[in-house]
Amino acid sequence: MKPQEEDFQTEDEIATQQSSQILALLTNIGQSPQFLCEAQVKKISPAALAYLGDAIYELYVRMFYLWPQQRPEIYHSLVVAQVRAEKQASHLRSLIPELRNHELEIVRRGRNAATGRPKRLDPEIYQQATSLETLVGYLYLTDYPRLTELLQKLPLEK
């Protein structure tokens, strides 16, 4: 693109370009530092997978909201709205039709491992949120490209 043509790009076009660049960055963030074999992953508790998945999910959401640039408090409110248990449960429900049988089994294991929910939450919502986190943690360790594919299907709102 010539320098003077850049002046004619709309803010929406720039934001779309930047979002595409972030998605490309997310795809290449790296493969998991080391892939574990299925037997090793099966030894990891669903609670531990959810712990890892929570961090990976939040990192994805934070990167999603990097563009357009905002003040930190706006980033924070956008991210918090997406990482709440209610929203995670909603995201899991939207992904269910896309999941493979072994992924559904991981979701089930995560749901059954959900204990000690906060008092403000319905137990079913907490179980679904934990299930999503368990799935994210599992896929991060075993199938990063599949994780990226599923995360990109989440209906995050800009």
Side-chain angles (χ1 to χ4, degrees):
M1 187 178 294
K2 296 177 184 171
Q4 60 259 55
E5 288 178 2
E6 287 180 333
D7 297 336
F8 297 109
Q9 278 189 312
T10 67
E11 287 183 30
D12 286 342
E13 290 172 329
I14 293 169
T16 300
Q17 244 180 354
Q18 291 168 337
S19 290
S20 296
Q21 292 168 347
I22 287 174
L23 288 175
L25 176 62
L26 287 172
T27 302
N28 295 321
I29 268 188
Q31 329 275 302
S32 167
Q34 73 178 46
F35 285 103
L36 302 176
C37 72
E38 188 69 25
Q40 291 171 309
V41 174
K42 283 186 179 187
K43 292 179 183 176
I44 300 172
S45 74
L49 290 173
Y51 178 75
L52 174 64
D54 178 57
I56 300 303
Y57 175 80
E58 184 168 341
L59 177 62
Y60 176 81
V61 172
R62 284 177 179 229
M63 291 182 71
F64 180 84
Y65 286 113
L66 281 178
W67 298 104
Q69 292 186 11
Q70 307 281 341
R71 292 187 320 262
E73 57 272 10
I74 294 179
Y75 285 138
H76 178 74
S77 64
L78 290 168
V79 170
V80 166
Q82 295 298 320
V83 299
R84 295 176 53 90
E86 296 87 352
K87 192 57 118 171
Q88 288 180 334
S90 171
H91 287 325
L92 176 67
R93 289 189 300 272
S94 75
L95 289 177
I96 291 291
E98 308 286 332
L99 299 182
R100 300 170 180 158
N101 287 339
H102 71 283
E103 294 165 345
L104 289 169
E105 177 59 22
I106 295 301
V107 166
R108 185 194 63 74
R109 286 179 58 209
R111 181 188 68 233
N112 292 340
T115 59
R117 70 175 173 84
K119 291 179 183 178
R120 70 171 182 82
L121 280 178
D122 177 300
E124 187 175 334
I125 297 294
Y126 184 72
Q127 288 172 332
Q128 291 171 354
T130 301
S131 294
L132 176 68
E133 293 170 347
T134 303
L135 178 65
V136 170
Y138 170 81
L139 290 175
Y140 178 76
L141 294 174
T142 61
D143 192 349
Y144 191 82
R146 175 67 174 158
L147 172 62
T148 302
E149 175 188 334
L150 290 175
L151 289 175
Q152 289 177 351
K153 292 180 183 211
L154 295 179
L156 298 178
E157 301 156 359
K158 286 249 178 187

